[in-house]
Amino acid sequence: MAKIKRIGVLTSGGDAPGMNAAVRAVARTALANGIECIGIRRGWQGLINCDFIQLTRANVGHLLSKGGTILYTARSEEFMNPEGRQKAVNTCKMLGLEGIVAIGGDGTFRGALELSRLGIPVVGVPATIDNDVGCTNYTIGFDSACNTAIECIDKLRDTMQSHERCSVVEVMGRNAGFLALYVGTAVGATAVLVPEHVESFEQNVIERIRGAKLAGYTHFMVVVAEGAGHAQEVGDKIQEALGIKPTITVIGHIQRGGAPTGRDRETATRMGYHAVMAFAEGRGNCVIGTQEGGIVEIPIEEALTMKKHLQMDRYKIMEIMQFGGGHDGEI
Ligand code: F6P
């Protein structure tokens, strides 16, 4: 197989801390292997519009600690239709791109699959604060987003404690509870509401606040995953059931910003390296993942069918940490 000469890299979907570190790793690994690297700006839309910059060793410098993405990101409507995708293929041909590294989440990989079916090899690198990509146990940005949310909630706790109040905090995560459970465990939440376990609001929230009260707590922290409901609605239900008016905080997009943590920088660097090495060694059309700490390559089509479930054993641990965690009168 002829040696690959030129690849493109893009970031797509919601940004995540560590995307820049992945771009840097892709560019530097490519250059170290004698491959030219083009940065496509604004995700799939940039490929349609031929919106790009040449990446060099120097212009990907000082990126490790930088949040956001220097390539910008977008969710492209036009790429959803065949005409748009054909324009993207034309750009690849015009620029001589023999492969694309697509950094993002499942939506990005669905786009990658479509492009690969049109003959452009793609390698996906998972980056989303939601950690909701089935083929990998970790996605770039998750650790940074968790730490940002934890820092916010720690601050909130100080004032809740002083005023002996109840607080409902909504965190991101789209349809998954990974972020909420991790954060809830790390801040010692009274209750955590996740989309994977919404069966009994009474049991998961109301009884837990009652239990905490009985155990002598005077302030309560309820963490809600956005996929499990709105903080305001949860607050209203708490008020109705217990007669206390919680403060409402939606942390929102702050979770997507800021300097990536060491874990995100290191993982992004390894994933970016392996994405380019897949191309350099004649492979493609796969998603890079981490499983049991090691790097794996999963065919895109298979990657998109893989499911990852919230670890309910961890949910149980979170519950037990507060006051025994029982729903059975053992509080
Ligand atoms: O996928 C990342 C994410 O931040 C989700 O947690 C959230 O649901 C979504 O993106 C928000 O997207 P937008 O910024 O486009 O509203």
Side-chain angles (χ1 to χ4, degrees):
M1 187 192 155
K3 192 176 164 332
I4 199 162
K5 291 193 198 68
R6 208 173 206 215
I7 60 168
V9 57
L10 58 83
T11 51
S12 168
D15 63 353
M19 275 184 164
N20 278 327
V23 170
R24 169 184 178 272
V26 167
R28 290 201 168 166
T29 308
L31 295 169
N33 283 276
I35 302 169
E36 243 190 287
C37 190
I38 301 296
I40 307 294
R41 303 199 299 181
R42 304 180 175 86
W44 299 120
Q45 193 60 42
L47 210 51
I48 293 170
N49 296 345
C50 198
D51 180 4
F52 70 94
I53 49 165
Q54 180 89 33
L55 297 181
T56 63
R57 272 199 76 78
N59 70 8
V60 296
H62 306 291
L63 279 190
L64 279 173
S65 60
K66 216 168 147 54
T69 162
I70 58 153
L71 294 179
Y72 303 100
T73 182
R75 294 188 167 106
S76 172
E77 290 286 323
E78 205 180 342
F79 195 75
M80 306 266 192
N81 63 58
E83 296 76 34
R85 289 197 290 273
Q86 192 50 53
K87 285 188 198 165
V89 171
N90 296 346
T91 302
C92 290
K93 293 201 168 135
M94 196 177 74
L95 295 178
L97 302 179
E98 296 167 90
I100 299 287
V101 176
I103 304 169
D106 271 344
T108 304
F109 304 150
R110 275 191 290 278
L113 181 64
E114 294 297 338
L115 197 66
S116 71
R117 285 180 173 151
L118 296 171
I120 307 294
V122 188
V123 175
V125 171
T128 160
I129 64 161
D130 306 331
N131 200 19
D132 61 349
V133 175
C135 70
T136 180
N137 59 16
Y138 190 75
T139 61
I140 297 162
F142 178 69
D143 189 53
S144 306
C146 285
N147 279 295
T148 297
I150 289 164
E151 198 185 326
C152 291
I153 297 173
D154 283 348
K155 287 181 177 157
L156 196 54
R157 182 184 286 284
D158 289 344
T159 171
M160 291 304 107
Q161 193 159 23
S162 309
H163 287 263
E164 301 179 286
R165 293 172 88 168
C166 175
S167 199
V168 178
V169 188
E170 184 181 314
V171 297
M172 279 187 166
R174 204 177 285 273
N175 301 317
F178 296 104
L179 188 58
L181 179 55
Y182 190 103
V183 167
T185 303
V187 299
T190 314
V192 179
L193 210 55
V194 291
E196 294 86 347
H197 186 48
V198 284
E199 292 79 36
S200 171
F201 186 82
E202 181 67 25
Q203 222 172 47
N204 290 336
V205 179
I206 305 301
E207 274 185 26
R208 287 187 62 80
I209 297 175
R210 274 202 195 106
K213 227 173 169 176
L214 278 174
Y217 287 78
T218 60
H219 74 282
F220 317 100
M221 186 64 71
V222 179
V223 174
V224 186
E226 62 176 349
H230 294 297
Q232 186 63 58
E233 287 163 13
V234 171
D236 291 346
K237 282 197 205 168
I238 291 172
Q239 186 168 6
E240 205 176 297
L242 299 169
I244 50 176
K245 188 174 167 51
T247 64
I248 306 298
T249 307
V250 179
I251 302 180
H253 290 78
I254 289 172
Q255 288 156 104
R256 289 221 304 245
T261 59
R263 179 171 187 187
D264 282 325
R265 298 177 199 195
E266 194 271 345
T267 308
T269 302
R270 269 190 304 137
M271 285 183 168
Y273 166 84
H274 282 281
V276 176
M277 290 317 290
F279 279 140
E281 291 165 3
R283 299 183 301 279
N285 298 336
C286 60
V287 175
I288 302 296
T290 55
Q291 282 172 15
E292 285 153 20
I295 295 282
V296 290
E297 288 174 16
I298 303 108
I300 304 178
E301 206 163 350
E302 189 187 331
L304 286 170
T305 64
M306 290 169 81
K307 297 265 170 287
K308 187 163 74 180
H309 300 287
L310 189 74
Q311 309 91 332
M312 291 316 288
D313 54 327
R314 294 189 187 184
Y315 191 88
K316 182 83 198 150
I317 293 170
M318 175 281 296
E319 287 190 310
I320 285 172
M321 284 309 122
Q322 285 317 292
F323 38 89
H327 296 316
D328 48 8
E330 288 172 9
I331 290 163

